[in-house]
């Protein structure tokens, strides 16, 4: 572990956020001498970000915790284009109104994790549509275009991987890296932003912005990326068989969010506690050293701490209480995900998919055949079992030992 002088880089290093940095020594010294405004960009393609974005949000939190200024850049402009990084196909284009609705929804999570205001270290949220939509096309070509070569742009992973897979890459998406580079330049001009952070797949885009800013204005800027975040079994962070693990309550019930962390692999507990909670490192070391069944206590603490940060303390307590009642008492806590059967009834396999326990009806049939599905504690063996509307009675639906929900009819 490198001996950094600044609280910022020391904290990021100790907790495992650092993958690559440009000129670490100079950034370290700058962070000792002055407040460093730093930004991360988030596109608004949905009403919520998912768990895969949480490490970036926590980086902004660490920036503020060590006396620096977080800038949350919402991609009102770049969302209209679509980031090709890690994508095999073009994103569906959204209307301007839908993008602004998404930004308003996403902001609610940031307001829990960051302190916003007008102070020197208070966070601000800005929308890159403010400057990108005002750029004239010919102006952009003349002012920015000469600083990019097609030869170099074709070497970036976001472009090369799409072309290697023989997937179409539109001219619209090809421009994304130019717009992101322009963001860094504009943020440096407007807010004296000196640092851009992001995932490891953003390294090329970050360096582009640094070079453009140096050539246009002589700015000395810095970049820092986090490691590619996967679970111990190699799965992409924030994805499950039932879909994305959304940060916002409207997109994912609190119990499901809590349970995602409670179900972490034993090998991930220490790493997740460092990245996603504010617990002291010595306490984390004790928790990750637990063996056997005791590691489950650490997982409950992980689930509580992350849920508290993202959803609020009351929500975390309710989710834990629901889990305790469901698992220990055999009950059906009020915070479990709920699905109401319609007037025409529904087959059990379709209910499993609709409530989010399985990704498809085919998977539901396989789980039923394996004997993994129970209704009010009784195994269901018939995939054609029909749940009909009744007297309003609520039934407990379980898939294996970890997924539980309520079905009303």
């Amino acid at each position: 572990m490198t001996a950094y002088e600044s609280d910022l880089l020391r904290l990021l290093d100790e907790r495992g956020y650092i993958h690559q940095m440009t000129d670490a020594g100079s950034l370290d010294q700058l962070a000792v001498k002055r407040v460093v405004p730093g930004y991360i960009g988030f596109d608004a393609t949905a009403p919520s970000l998912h768990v895969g974005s949480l490490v970036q949000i926590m980086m902004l939190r660490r920036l503020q915790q060590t006396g620096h200024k977080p800038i949350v850049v919402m991609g009102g402009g770049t969302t209209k284009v679509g980031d090709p990084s890690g994508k095999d196909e073009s994103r569906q284009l959204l209307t301007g109104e839908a993008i602004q609705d998404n930004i308003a929804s996403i902001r609610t999570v940031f307001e829990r994790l960051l302190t916003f205001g007008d102070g020197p270290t208070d966070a601000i949220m800005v929308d890159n549509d403010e400057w990108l939509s005002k750029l004239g096309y010919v102006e952009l070509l003349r002012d920015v275009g000469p600083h990019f070569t097609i030869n170099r742009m074709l070497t970036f992973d976001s472009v090369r991987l799409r072309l290697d897979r023989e997937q179409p890459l539109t001219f619209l998406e090809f421009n994304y890296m130019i717009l992101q580079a322009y963001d860094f330049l504009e943020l440096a001009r407007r807010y004296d932003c000196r640092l851009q952070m992001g995932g490891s797949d953003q390294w090329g885009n970050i360096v582009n912005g640094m070079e453009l800013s140096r050539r246009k204005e002589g700015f000395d800027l810095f970049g820092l990326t986090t490691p590619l975040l996967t679970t111990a079994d190699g799965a992409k962070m924030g994805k499950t068989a039932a879909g994305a693990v959304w940060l916002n309550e409207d997109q994912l019930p609190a119990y499901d969010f809590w349970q995602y962390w409670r179900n972490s692999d034993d090998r991930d507990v220490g790493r997740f506690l460092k990245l996603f909670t504010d617990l002291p490192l010595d306490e984390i070391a004790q928790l990750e050293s637990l063996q056997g069944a005791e590691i489950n206590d650490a997982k409950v603490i992980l689930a509580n701490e992350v849920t508290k940060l993202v959803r609020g303390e009351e929500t975390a307590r309710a989710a834990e209480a629901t889990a305790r009642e469901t698992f220990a008492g055999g009950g059906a806590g009020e915070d479990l995900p709920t699905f109401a059967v319609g007037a025409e009834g529904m087959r059990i396999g379709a209910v499993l998919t609709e409530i989010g326990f399985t990704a498809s009806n085919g998977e539901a049939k396989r789980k039923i055949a394996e004997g993994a599905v129970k209704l009010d504690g009784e195994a269901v063996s018939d995939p054609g079992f029909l749940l009909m509307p009744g007297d309003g009675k609520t039934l407990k639906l379980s898939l294996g030992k970890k997924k539980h929900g309520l079905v009303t009819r």
Side-chain angles (χ1 to χ4, degrees), residues 167-244:
Q167 299 286 347
L169 179 72
T170 67
F171 180 68
L172 182 70
E173 293 171 291
F174 193 60
N175 278 273
Y176 187 94
M177 65 182 76
I178 296 177
L179 298 182
Q180 186 171 329
Y182 191 84
D183 279 350
F184 205 175
L185 170 61
E186 195 65 28
L187 290 163
R189 286 170 171 166
R190 292 182 178 218
Y191 306 106
D192 190 29
C193 182
R194 304 297 297 275
L195 171 66
Q196 183 183 354
M197 301 181 291
S200 58
D201 61 338
Q202 295 299 316
W203 180 254
N205 290 333
I206 292 172
V207 172
N208 270 344
M210 291 171 53
E211 291 184 357
L212 177 64
S213 301
R214 178 179 55 80
R215 291 173 182 173
K216 292 291 297 178
E217 301 285 359
F219 292 145
D220 190 13
L221 306 181
F222 301 92
L224 189 156
T225 62
T226 57
L228 176 66
L229 199 59
T230 58
T231 57
D233 60 4
K236 192 173 183 179
M237 192 75 186
K239 298 285 187 181
T240 67

Side-chain angles (χ1 to χ4, degrees), residues 34 39 53 75 145 211 242 304 312 351 393:
R34 51 160 287 184
Y39 96 94
S53 297
E211 291 184 357
N304 284 341
V351 173
K393 182 181 178 183

